Amino acid sequence: MPLVVKKFGGSSVATLDRISKVARRIVDSKKGNTRLVLVVSAMGDTTDKLLSLASRANPEPPKREIDLLLSTGEIVSSALLSMSLNSLGAEAVAFTGLQGGIITDNVHTKARIRKIETDRIVEEIDKDRIVVVAGFQGVTQENIITTLGRGGSDLTAVALAAALKADMCEIYTDVEGIYTADPRVVPQARKLRRISYDELLEIASSGARVVHPRAVELAKNYEVRLHIRSSFNEKEGTIVE
Ligand code: ASP
Ligand code: MG
C-alpha cells in the first residue's frame, strides 16, 4: 500500500481556517488505500512569539525550557489538524514527537534525530488512520523534549519518510515549487518540474530556503523523493529526486 508523508509549514496552518482547508483537501484527495502521515509546523509566527515570551521571562532562558516551550507550538497545530480531520469524518490521531517515537541526541534547540521508533505510527496507519505528527520536536533517550532548530519540521518529515520507507514526501508551502529565479523579483522565472538533490542544495545554500538544506541532504542519502508544492492550490510543484 502506498505511503505518503505530507508536511505543512507554518503559513499553511497559520489560522484555523487554513487548517480546515488543509483538512478538507487531505480528505478529498485521499486515495483508497494510501496511508498518510502528516507533519505540521506551528501556526504562523507562533515560534517567534514563544521565543519573545521566553526572553521576557528570562534574558537567558535555560535551553531545556526553550525546547519545552517551543514544542507546544507544533502540538497545538497537530491537535487542531487532527480535530479538523475527524470533524470531516476521517479517522485521524495526533502524536507529539515522543508519541511518534522521534529520538534525538540531547543538544537542546538544535538536536539531531538519532532514530525513529515507528511502531506506534505503523500501528495507526495500518488501521487506516491518518497520523498527524508534531514537527520540529523529539525526545532524548530520557524523554526530555528537544527541538531540531528553526525550520526543523522539514527534517521531521523527511526522516519519517525515510524510516517508514514512504513512496513520497510532499512539502506543502507558500510557493508553488522551485523556480529558475525568485518569481517575486524575476517575472519570467519558470517553475522547474524536476530538480536533483544537489541542484536544490545549491539553491538552498545561496539563500532561497524553501526546504531546510539538511532535510534535502537527508532525502538524498535515504533516496526519499520530495514533491515541493503549494498548499493553496492543486498545481503540480517540483519533484526532487
Ligand atoms: N516552528 C518551527 C520554526 O518556526 C519549526 C518549523 O516551522 O519547521 O522554525
Ligand atoms: Mg520552513
Side-chain angles (χ1 to χ4, degrees):
M1 280 197 287
L3 197 165
V4 179
V5 174
K6 296 176 186 247
K7 182 255 169 177
F8 296 89
S11 56
S12 312
V13 294
T15 61
L16 192 53
D17 182 54
R18 288 195 186 171
I19 291 177
S20 310
K21 289 202 171 102
V22 164
R24 164 58 64 200
R25 182 171 174 185
I26 287 163
V27 169
D28 287 347
S29 67
K30 188 174 184 309
K31 299 199 185 57
N33 59 359
T34 302
R35 295 174 299 163
L36 286 182
V37 175
L38 314 178
V39 175
V40 285
S41 292
M43 296 170 73
D45 60 1
T46 298
T47 306
D48 291 323
K49 286 196 178 135
L50 291 172
L51 278 170
S52 115
L53 275 178
S55 63
R56 282 164 55 201
N58 177 343
E60 278 179 56
K63 288 192 168 163
R64 179 190 177 285
E65 272 62 33
I66 294 181
D67 278 350
L68 186 61
L69 183 69
L70 295 191
S71 71
T72 62
E74 272 73 9
I75 296 174
V76 168
S77 50
S78 58
L80 290 173
L81 179 55
S82 177
M83 289 175 187
S84 302
L85 286 163
N86 278 284
S87 80
L88 297 173
E91 265 197 71
V93 53
F95 277 176
T96 64
L98 182 147
Q99 294 168 324
I102 303 187
I103 313 296
T104 71
D105 62 19
N106 53 15
V107 184
H108 281 293
T109 74
K110 43 178 191 287
R112 295 247 185 174
I113 296 174
R114 285 282 171 255
K115 66 172 176 209
I116 302 188
E117 290 165 354
T118 55
D119 339 0
R120 281 178 83 173
I121 292 180
V122 170
E123 204 178 296
E124 297 294 340
I125 52 180
D126 282 351
K127 290 185 206 149
D128 203 28
R129 296 199 176 126
I130 300 171
V131 176
V132 189
V133 182
F136 172 62
Q137 60 183 269
V139 288
T140 65
Q141 293 285 5
E142 295 76 36
N143 283 349
I144 295 171
I145 292 176
T146 53
T147 62
L148 307 176
R150 300 307 305 264
S153 297
D154 290 343
L155 293 160
T156 308
V158 175
L160 274 171
L164 295 163
K165 301 194 175 27
D167 298 277
M168 181 70 89
C169 180
E170 299 182 338
I171 308 274
Y172 288 82
T173 180
D174 49 8
V175 294
E176 287 182 10
I178 307 294
Y179 283 74
T180 49
D182 186 341
R184 285 163 302 192
V185 186
V186 186
Q188 332 59 302
R190 275 183 311 110
K191 184 167 76 189
L192 299 165
R193 291 192 52 182
R194 295 200 130 66
I195 189 172
S196 71
Y197 298 111
D198 288 327
E199 285 165 330
L200 182 56
L201 276 172
E202 225 166 89
I203 296 176
S205 57
S206 74
R209 255 210 182 193
V210 182
V211 190
H212 195 301
R214 252 181 36 231
V216 181
E217 277 170 30
L218 201 63
K220 182 185 173 186
N221 292 340
Y222 289 90
E223 294 178 8
V224 173
R225 287 176 79 212
L226 304 176
H227 185 176
I228 296 159
R229 61 191 305 182
S230 168
S231 50
F232 306 121
N233 65 51
E234 300 285 334
K235 290 183 199 161
E236 292 285 306
T238 302
I239 302 281
V240 192
E241 59 187 358

